[in-house]
Amino acid sequence: MLVDTDVLIWYLKGNNNARLEIEVLSGFFISVVTYIELVQGMRNKKELIALRRALRFWNAKVLYLSEDISAKAMFYVEQYYLSHSMQLADALISATAVANGLDLFTANIKHYRVLKDISIKEFKPV
């Protein structure tokens, strides 16, 4: 399972549904893009240290970008930016899931709905 940034943000903000879903996974993957987005949301070193601890606690593994992921993301943006406003981060995250044969766990279904080759598991914060 590849967990999208939004689910982890819900968790870090104390959302109970996110806590239950994440803790039941017993290990999952995140894109390096998700990691970077989370770090960019940190306000200080204490929060960054807490994020690193949480990733270890969750047994989360970071998946890095490859040529295959880059090519898929480029295709997604070419095909869907003008018609569906496909954004860079979403293209890279979804391409990471597809390239690694993983389901994408996200609450942002609308960001990925246009993609036919991705398997999505919807997170419901409430």
Side-chain angles (χ1 to χ4, degrees), residues 2-126:
L2 186 79
V3 177
D4 198 4
T5 311
D6 65 310
V7 178
L8 297 179
I9 289 171
W10 281 107
Y11 182 103
L12 294 170
K13 287 184 173 183
N15 180 276
N16 193 51
N17 287 353
R19 183 183 59 77
L20 293 172
E21 292 279 1
I22 292 295
E23 290 176 1
V24 89
L25 287 177
S26 71
F28 56 87
F29 297 95
I30 63 170
S31 167
V32 68
V33 175
T34 290
Y35 180 79
I36 291 168
E37 288 180 322
L38 291 171
V39 170
Q40 288 177 331
M42 301 288 110
R43 293 173 292 195
N44 54 51
K45 290 275 189 186
K46 184 178 175 183
E47 288 184 354
L48 179 59
I49 291 167
L51 172 64
R52 289 180 181 156
R53 265 194 215 116
L55 291 170
R56 281 192 304 275
F57 176 75
W58 297 328
N59 194 27
K61 304 283 186 265
V62 176
L63 296 176
Y64 298 95
L65 302 179
S66 66
E67 186 174 349
D68 185 36
I69 291 167
S70 299
K72 281 183 189 337
M74 186 172 70
F75 173 79
Y76 292 159
V77 172
E78 286 177 344
Q79 293 297 307
Y80 304 115
Y81 177 73
L82 294 175
S83 61
H84 294 84
S85 298
M86 173 62 68
Q87 297 297 305
L88 174 63
D90 294 335
L92 288 167
I93 290 168
S94 57
T96 300
V98 172
N100 288 281
L102 299 169
D103 293 342
L104 178 62
F105 188 40
T106 184
N108 292 327
I109 300 300
K110 65 181 178 152
H111 293 192
Y112 306 103
R113 184 176 301 145
V114 68
L115 303 176
K116 304 300 180 218
D117 56 349
I118 192 166
S119 174
I120 296 174
K121 179 180 178 206
E122 184 175 6
F123 170 68
K124 296 182 181 174
V126 284

